[in-house]
Amino acid sequence: MSGTSQAVFEGAVDLGSLEFREPWAARLFGVTLAMSERGLFTMKDFQHSLIAAVGDFEKASCIRDEEEYYTRWLEALSVLLKSRGIMKDEMLSATEERVVERLLGLQHERHHHHEHSPGRPDVIAPLVVA
């Protein structure tokens, strides 16, 4: 587990100082914290799930980059949500399909904008957790 993640679980990190290479990892991190703050699970529960997901992955390979780490984070969150009955398999599949469609749409938009507007920064819509 990364030192930053451990500090988050211990409540010893300034969340405003965190940096993510990929916007989806930042959103996943934020969603996890928001769900914990709403009482759906504790960060300690999530930490145990993340340790299991990382351990399972590292039986075959080591985590080489942030993408692989946050993919394990997503797996851990999915397992935790399913085990608590918060998200059913069919809901998870439908959500995953929507995310994939959105990512494909964003890739298309980026490609289109970069051809015509190479100086335009990527824009990420805000995430709202009710």
Side-chain angles (χ1 to χ4, degrees):
M1 180 172 357
S2 77
T4 300
S5 292
Q6 185 62 38
V8 168
F9 295 122
E10 294 171 359
V13 68
D14 172 19
L15 297 179
S17 68
L18 295 177
E19 294 183 21
F20 299 89
R21 277 186 287 190
E22 297 294 333
W24 70 268
R27 286 180 177 214
L28 178 59
F29 186 92
V31 164
T32 303
L33 290 181
M35 289 180 166
S36 175
E37 287 174 4
R38 291 202 60 214
L40 298 176
F41 52 82
T42 67
M43 286 306 290
K44 189 60 111 178
D45 293 334
F46 176 75
Q47 182 182 25
H48 292 298
S49 186
L50 180 59
I51 289 169
V54 168
D56 288 345
F57 182 81
E58 288 187 335
K59 288 177 184 173
S61 179
C62 66
I63 293 179
R64 295 175 300 229
D65 57 26
E66 184 176 282
E67 181 176 348
E68 286 182 351
Y69 177 75
Y70 280 101
T71 298
R72 304 299 75 79
W73 185 290
L74 179 58
E75 288 173 2
L77 182 60
S78 298
V79 166
L80 187 56
L81 294 176
K82 287 193 299 189
S83 72
R84 300 278 172 112
I86 297 167
M87 184 171 266
K88 307 266 188 256
D89 282 333
E90 48 282 351
M91 289 172 60
L92 190 57
S93 295
T95 302
E96 184 178 24
E97 287 175 23
R98 285 195 311 272
V99 168
V100 168
E101 287 172 8
R102 177 74 175 131
L103 289 173
L104 291 174
L106 287 172
Q107 286 176 343
H108 177 74
E109 288 175 23
R110 275 192 202 129
H111 179 72
H112 179 71
H113 286 295
H114 287 276
E115 284 181 14
H116 297 49
S117 307
R120 181 186 177 277
D122 291 335
V123 177
I124 305 298
L127 173 70
V128 178
V129 177

